[in-house]
């Protein structure tokens, strides 16, 4: 783990989903899928019956927690701009107005 990342651990209780047409659930081929039925920060003292508890650690960049700071650069193409004349009036710098 670098100084640029942080880790988080969760314990997942995973329950099998069985094929309905196979009444014998003791065979691996009777399992059609799985679903997470509970998650905890620490290992569970009493897991749900029939589940497998899996420890999962994820590593995230610290920048994932930085608040969104929107920034935009607006580019105006030359075709959308029109030059305008600048009027200058000459005056004597030595004269008091």
């Amino acid at each position: 783990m670098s100084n640029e990342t942080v880790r988080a651990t969760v314990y997942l209780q995973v329950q099998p989903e069985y094929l309905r047409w196979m009444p014998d659930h003791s065979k691996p081929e009777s399992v059609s899928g799985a679903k997470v039925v509970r998650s905890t920060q620490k290992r569970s003292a009493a897991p749900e019956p029939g589940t497998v508890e899996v420890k999962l650690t994820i590593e995230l960049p610290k920048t994932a927690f930085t608040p969104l700071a929107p920034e935009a650069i607006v580019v105006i193409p030359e075709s959308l701009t029109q030059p305008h004349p600048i009027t200058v009036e000459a005056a004597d710098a030595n004269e008091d107005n």
Side-chain angles (χ1 to χ4, degrees):
M1 178 172 74
S2 76
N3 290 336
E4 301 301 317
T5 61
V6 292
R7 288 186 180 175
T9 300
V10 63
Y11 291 86
L12 303 175
Q13 291 183 36
V14 182
Q15 183 178 67
E17 294 179 326
Y18 295 104
L19 294 170
R20 293 183 185 180
W21 55 271
M22 281 191 89
D24 184 6
H25 295 167
S26 65
K27 298 178 181 178
E29 55 268 13
S30 69
V31 177
S32 65
K35 63 181 176 181
V36 175
V37 293
R38 178 184 247 175
S39 64
T40 56
Q41 294 295 304
K42 296 181 181 179
R43 187 174 299 278
S44 178
E48 296 287 326
T51 63
V52 174
E53 195 164 44
V54 179
K55 179 182 178 182
L56 176 66
T57 301
I58 58 173
E59 188 170 319
L60 297 165
K62 289 180 180 180
T63 56
F65 300 101
T66 305
L68 178 63
E71 181 178 320
I73 297 173
V74 178
V75 178
I76 301 172
E78 187 176 348
S79 62
L80 295 178
T81 62
Q82 293 182 0
H84 54 281
I86 298 174
T87 305
V88 178
E89 187 176 321
D92 187 350
N94 295 325
E95 227 177 73
D96 221 6
N97 288 345

